[in-house]
Amino acid sequence: MQTKITTVQQHILDEERLHPGATGDFTALLTSLTLAAKIISREVNKAGLVKILGETGEINVHGESVQKLDDFAQQTICRAMGHNGHLCVMASEESADIIPIPGESEKGKYVLMFDPLDGSSNIDVNASIGTIFSIHRKITNHTPEGSLEDCLQKGSDQIAAGYFIYGSSTMMVYTTGQGVHGFTLDPSLGEFLLSHENIRTPSRGKIYSINEGHVNSWDAGTRRYIDYVKEDRKDRGHPYSLRYIGSLVADFHRNLLKGGIFLYPGPKGKLRLLYEASPLAMIVEHAGGAASTGAERILDIQPTSLHQRVPLILGSVDDVMDYNQFYNEALAAAAD
Ligand code: AFP
């Protein structure tokens, strides 16, 4: 039970104060992001009324055009973040190219990467969806505007990462490298309040999360690992339980709190390095877990393009290490 009430703004400010010379820019940046998330959360909560208020792409009963929720989320983040003077460039899973900061707006020292509405195919069935974000410092210095180079940074260079989950309640989970903290939105106050301080993920879980329908495209290591966690071996805590929503933020959030392993294996993977894998890898590592492709640590991958996909295995550290061992043994056996 929390002994004091802390808003997310207060928490971010307290963390920023730990850095001598901090200007408050970073606090303002994250505060703008929470505003965008509150607006998105409000629209997501109305999604069930779509049959009453109008389908997307239509004119609703009020004569307004109804936007697709992922377009709405993208535009809301751009409008909330593009003019506050803290960013030099953005990039989103929904945009083919980098998103420049509008010409008239002041340029700042941070880079924002985001997935505006992850798991959006779950909206129709009222399952949890989310917004994922990742923040880097600008590394180029020839112009005030940021460039592609500023966006293509390794996950290990992120200065903050987090997500908003729109579920039975709306939550924000974030890290700046000093623990992972969760805040729950009190809709009556419009404030995110600290509800999960210093989240630590169990070192081993009892849950595996994978789309088993893709079994025929898995590599040998993944197949053996999944057979292993399903073995009836009570002495090892097996079999694990399968839990898979198909909404990354929802699957990740459950496994972060309860322990377990999420897998979207290769050969190429589906999930994006910059908007999904790197931010969640930073969070899980700072909560005591691990994230890999099987062959390498996610945070060590140097991105080569904005929409690069990677295999993604993340969760409890002992489970991810077991997977890596199965993956690498199968590779070595195939090479013999
Ligand atoms: P959508 O945004 O199209 O719903 O995709 C969701 C997602 O990117 C991620 O949130 C899920 O973990 C993953 O795809 C599910 O993919 P499969 O449907 O192939 O299992």
Side-chain angles (χ1 to χ4, degrees):
M1 170 127 172
Q2 303 292 336
T3 52
K4 59 176 186 172
I5 297 173
T6 309
T7 64
V8 70
Q9 280 77 15
Q10 188 59 49
H11 195 271
I12 298 164
L13 200 60
D14 289 348
E15 290 220 331
E16 193 168 12
R17 285 207 187 102
L18 298 174
H19 298 277
T23 57
D25 274 13
F26 186 67
T27 304
L29 170 68
L30 282 183
T31 302
S32 302
L33 204 51
T34 61
L35 171 66
K38 284 184 233 176
I39 299 172
I40 297 168
S41 174
R42 187 186 63 196
E43 284 313 292
V44 167
N45 288 338
K46 284 200 308 209
L49 294 169
V50 88
K51 289 275 182 293
I52 303 160
L53 299 178
E55 299 281 355
T56 54
E58 281 184 351
I59 303 295
N60 71 16
V61 289
H62 306 294
E64 303 150 345
S65 68
V66 184
Q67 246 183 334
K68 277 182 70 190
L69 262 182
D70 24 19
D71 295 342
F72 176 84
Q74 162 88 1
Q75 280 188 22
T76 301
I77 295 176
C78 290
R79 286 169 59 204
M81 305 305 295
H83 306 277
N84 57 23
H86 306 303
L87 296 177
C88 61
V89 67
M90 295 185 272
S92 157
E93 209 209 69
E94 295 287 327
S95 300
D97 296 317
I98 58 171
I99 306 169
I101 300 305
E104 72 284 5
S105 300
E106 203 184 320
K107 312 294 178 290
K109 55 181 182 239
Y110 297 110
V111 177
L112 174 68
M113 321 285 296
F114 61 96
D115 182 353
L117 210 55
D118 182 75
S120 51
S121 56
N122 287 284
I123 296 169
D124 293 352
V125 294
N126 226 342
S128 301
I129 50 182
T131 297
I132 309 174
F133 65 90
S134 155
I135 300 172
H136 286 270
R137 227 178 268 286
K138 185 177 192 288
I139 49 171
T140 59
N141 51 21
H142 34 278
T143 58
E145 288 81 20
S147 62
L148 180 62
E149 196 183 335
D150 293 302
C151 295
L152 298 182
Q153 298 189 53
K154 283 184 189 177
S156 54
D157 294 329
Q158 290 171 107
I159 58 167
Y163 58 86
F164 297 91
I165 178 166
Y166 312 108
S168 49
S169 51
T170 294
M171 274 191 74
M172 173 186 182
V173 174
Y174 89 106
T175 184
T176 57
Q178 297 165 90
V180 176
H181 309 288
F183 301 80
T184 303
L185 180 65
D186 181 329
S188 62
L189 297 174
E191 294 276 10
F192 283 98
L193 302 177
L194 183 61
S195 52
H196 298 64
E197 192 168 18
N198 200 16
I199 298 171
R200 303 294 300 167
T201 197
S203 57
R204 186 175 286 287
K206 279 189 64 65
I207 291 174
Y208 73 106
S209 307
I210 190 167
N211 185 338
E212 291 226 39
H214 295 162
V215 58
N216 291 329
S217 64
W218 294 347
D219 55 273
T222 302
R223 250 182 254 178
R224 279 182 208 142
Y225 175 75
I226 296 298
D227 286 344
Y228 167 75
V229 297
K230 293 198 291 193
E231 278 171 9
D232 195 7
R233 286 283 305 267
K234 300 273 177 300
D235 56 320
R236 282 203 300 243
H238 294 188
Y240 281 14
S241 295
L242 169 64
R243 296 284 182 271
Y244 190 72
I245 297 171
S247 171
L248 179 61
V249 173
D251 281 312
F252 176 82
H253 185 68
R254 180 202 51 239
N255 290 4
L256 181 72
L257 298 182
K258 291 184 183 275
I261 182 166
F262 173 93
L263 310 97
Y264 211 111
K268 285 201 288 265
K270 170 184 181 186
L271 303 172
R272 318 276 178 149
L273 175 61
L274 290 173
Y275 318 105
E276 293 167 317
S278 283
L280 298 187
M282 179 176 183
I283 295 167
V284 81
E285 283 203 4
H286 283 284
S292 91
T293 61
E296 65 180 319
R297 179 178 173 237
I298 293 288
L299 294 180
D300 288 339
I301 302 173
Q302 173 62 55
T304 51
S305 65
L306 271 185
H307 294 285
Q308 184 174 344
R309 297 172 196 269
V310 283
L312 177 61
I313 320 300
L314 82 177
S316 296
V317 63
D318 292 347
D319 291 311
V320 175
M321 292 308 141
D322 283 352
Y323 174 86
N324 289 348
Q325 196 178 335
F326 275 85
Y327 179 85
N328 290 309
E329 278 174 9
L331 270 191
D336 279 348

